[in-house]
Each structure stands twice: as structure tokens, then as C-alpha cells.
């Protein structure tokens, strides 16, 4: 960009961040490294999961599933997966919004189950398809191995 328009790219980036974007006046800036919430993005169907974004750091992410990954799908990003920490942050969402959630999709991790149960008590908890399929595949694979071992033994 610098060669095309004859400007210093680093300077342009700093000017955009510090002046044009409103980043320095962002209401969530003081705690953005630990957590961010976008309450307006909450909907009836949400998903919660942990993700490793960089250098092994785990984050808990809450998304609006109806948005299908488009703009406005992120409800919360919270550093870590500690139950108490995540619950304390998600309880900052208004009670009315939290009770609007009808269904929450999660994996089989006990910490995610506890977070979903406490923060979204009116929501039906649904185990995500990936983890159910993985569990079924592992069970079938285990049966195959045992059957093969029995046939070889006879």
C-alpha cells in the first residue's frame, strides 16, 4: 500500500488505530485483553466452545448460531476456560437477554455444561454433532477391534 499511494504503511496503521477507528475511545478497551461482550448479538440459538487462538492460549467463545459466522455472530470472547471466570463475565449480560436463549450447543466438557446451566438456565443444552459422531465412531472402532481379536483367537 505504501508504494502504491506513497505513504508509510506503519504510520497509516497507527493513524487508523489511534484516530480514525475510535479504538482508543472503545468502551471495552480497558478489559479487552481479558474479555469482550457484544450483548446486542445474542439470539435464541447460541453455541459455546473453547478455542486455542495463539501460542496455546485458550479462550471461551460464545456465538449466535443464527448468524452462521457472519457479522454480529460473536457474543463473547473470554480468556481462559475457568468456570468461575467465564460465569462471572457472562453474568454481565442482562438477565432478560440470557433468558431469551432457547438452545445452547456445547461439547461434552463438564466445565462448559456448568457454564451453560448457570448462565442460561432457560436454554435447552444440546451436545454438538461433532462430539457425538466422534464418540460413536470410537465405540464402533472399539467393537471392531474386539471382534477381530476374538476371530483371530478362535
Amino acid at each position: 500500500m505504501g508504494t502504491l499511494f506513497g505513504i508509510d504503511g506503519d504510520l497509516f496503521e497507527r493513524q487508523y488505530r489511534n484516530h480514525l477507528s475510535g479504538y482508543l475511545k472503545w468502551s471495552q478497551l480497558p478489559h479487552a485483553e481479558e474479555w469482550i461482550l457484544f450483548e446486542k448479538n445474542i439470539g435464541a440459538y447460541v453455541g459455546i466452545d473453547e478455542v486455542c487462538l495463539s501460542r496455546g492460549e485458550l479462550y471461551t467463545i460464545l456465538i449466535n448460531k443464527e448468524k452462521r459466522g457472519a457479522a454480529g455472530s460473536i457474543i463473547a470472547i473470554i480468556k481462559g476456560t475457568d468456570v468461575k471466570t467465564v460465569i462471572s463475565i457472562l453474568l454481565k449480560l442482562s438477565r432478560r437477554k440470557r433468558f431469551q436463549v432457547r438452545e445452547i450447543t456445547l461439547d461434552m466438557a463438564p466445565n462448559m455444561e456448568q457454564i451453560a446451566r448457570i448462565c442460561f438456565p432457560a436454554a435447552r443444552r444440546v451436545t454438538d454433532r461433532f462430539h457425538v459422531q466422534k464418540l460413536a465412531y470410537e465405540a464402533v472402532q472399539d467393537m471392531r477391534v474386539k471382534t477381530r481379536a476374538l476371530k483371530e483367537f478362535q
Side-chain angles (χ1 to χ4, degrees), residues 48-71:
I48 188 169
D49 205 356
E50 66 271 347
V51 67
C52 182
L53 294 180
S54 64
R55 294 171 291 184
E57 296 173 335
L58 276 175
Y59 291 85
T60 300
I61 297 187
L62 187 70
I63 60 158
N64 182 335
K65 291 179 64 179
E66 295 170 303
K67 300 284 185 170
R68 301 182 188 269

Side-chain angles (χ1 to χ4, degrees), residues 48 60 78 80-91 115:
I48 188 169
T60 300
I78 304 163
T81 58
D82 176 63
V83 174
K84 288 181 182 180
T85 304
V86 174
I87 287 173
S88 69
I89 306 291
L90 290 180
L91 289 178
I115 292 165

Side-chain angles (χ1 to χ4, degrees), residues 38 40-42 63-75:
F38 301 105
K40 67 181 184 334
N41 294 346
I42 205 162
I63 60 158
N64 182 335
K65 291 179 64 179
E66 295 170 303
K67 300 284 185 170
R68 301 182 188 269
S73 61
I74 294 175
I75 300 166

Side-chain angles (χ1 to χ4, degrees), residues 10 20 33 35 37 39 46-48 59-60 62 70 81 88 91-92 104 107 111 113 122 126 131 137 145 151 153:
D10 292 332
L20 299 173
E33 287 192 26
W35 57 273
L37 290 176
E39 186 169 348
V46 302
I48 188 169
Y59 291 85
T60 300
L62 187 70
T81 58
S88 69
L91 289 178
K92 293 178 188 297
I104 184 164
D107 60 18
N111 61 334
E113 169 75 22
V126 176
H131 287 89
Y137 172 78
V145 168
K151 286 182 181 179
F153 181 69

